[in-house]
């Protein structure tokens, strides 16, 4: 699996968010990648559901509180990253 990346759906963004889309995607992606590294490094056989929850918690912890509060990722996609961690597919 390649590095996880966050892409925002432009149809769900207000005009201000649309103007900030690029920097916001960069910040979310950076937080997700850092969270992926931390969760992968500490993975000890937990089930996918727990890894997915930890990944979300760690990602939100790496964001400004206002951004974290509004971060509602597609959990199916988010859990795909967790599955890759469990399978050892994330470098």
């Amino acid at each position: 699996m390649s590095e996880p990346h966050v892409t925002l759906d432009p149809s769900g963004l207000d005009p201000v968010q649309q103007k900030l889309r690029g920097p916001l995607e960069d910040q979310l992606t950076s937080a997700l990648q850092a969270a992926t590294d931390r969760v992968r490094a500490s993975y000890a056989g937990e089930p996918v559901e727990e890894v997915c929850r930890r990944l979300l918690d760690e990602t939100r912890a790496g964001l400004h509180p206002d951004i974290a509060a509004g971060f509602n990722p597609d959990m199916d996609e988010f859990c795909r990253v967790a599955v890759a961690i469990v399978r050892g597919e994330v470098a």
Side-chain angles (χ1 to χ4, degrees):
M1 170 178 227
S2 61
E3 286 286 316
H5 179 82
V6 175
T7 302
L8 299 173
D9 178 3
S11 67
L13 302 177
D14 65 36
V16 173
Q17 292 170 327
Q18 288 179 6
K19 287 183 181 181
L20 298 172
R21 182 177 172 201
L24 186 55
E25 285 179 346
D26 291 346
Q27 185 175 5
L28 293 168
T29 295
S30 177
L32 174 57
Q33 289 174 351
T36 299
D37 291 343
R38 287 190 301 273
V39 171
R40 179 186 45 80
S42 66
Y43 178 67
E46 301 89 353
V48 171
E49 295 79 13
E50 184 175 336
V51 174
C52 189
R53 181 194 53 76
R54 284 185 51 219
L55 190 60
L56 180 59
D57 292 346
E58 289 280 342
T59 300
R60 284 189 172 141
L63 296 168
H64 182 280
D66 292 337
I67 295 172
F71 181 51
N72 297 305
D74 177 335
M75 290 309 293
D76 290 337
E77 290 298 317
F78 218 73
C79 287
R80 283 183 38 181
V81 177
V83 168
I85 290 170
V86 168
R87 292 181 177 168
E89 297 171 353
V90 177

